[in-house]
Amino acid sequence: MSAPVGLSPVESFVLAEADPEAALWEITAAWTADGDEADRVQAVPLLREAVIALAGYGFVAVHDFPLRPADWKQEIPVPADGVKAATANVQSWLWRPAGSSLLTVSITDAAVPWL
């Protein structure tokens, strides 16, 4: 996917939140101004599409941490073509208790001019 001419407001928001790195649940909480779980669940499809697009542009990197709290040595990069599947579970976008996995998004050097 080539770089966009412009970013959507949701893509811009996600990019700003991912600077330098954020868990998916943190992005959802910020988008909903710490709204309740129903608000967060409703926001997931919109935020997910933005993360998928940004990963496709090469503007963000997605990482999976199989166990929370995160051990940085166990970070598993999610390839851009795997982001759609990796972010499909709504639970990945909600608060994750200790002992569960954690998905994070971080900006890449390609995104810096868009910040």
Side-chain angles (χ1 to χ4, degrees):
M1 183 181 282
S2 61
V5 172
L7 297 178
S8 74
V10 180
E11 291 168 343
S12 294
F13 176 85
V14 169
L15 198 59
E17 289 296 313
D19 182 17
E21 183 171 36
L24 293 185
W25 71 263
E26 293 173 320
I27 294 170
T28 309
W31 180 260
T32 62
D34 289 324
D36 64 21
E37 187 167 301
D39 292 339
R40 294 176 191 204
V41 168
Q42 188 174 9
V44 168
L46 186 65
L47 295 169
R48 180 174 176 247
E49 287 304 315
V51 168
I52 292 167
L54 292 168
Y57 303 145
F59 288 0
V60 297
V62 177
H63 294 95
D64 183 11
F65 293 91
L67 188 61
R68 184 166 191 240
D71 178 352
W72 301 110
K73 296 176 196 166
Q74 295 179 345
E75 171 182 81
I76 301 169
V78 177
D81 63 356
V83 170
K84 185 174 185 177
T87 59
N89 184 348
V90 171
Q91 293 302 311
S92 297
W93 294 85
L94 305 175
W95 168 251
R96 308 293 295 154
S100 61
S101 64
L102 179 70
L103 287 174
T104 65
V105 178
S106 58
I107 64 165
T108 65
D109 290 341
V112 172
W114 295 86
L115 291 175

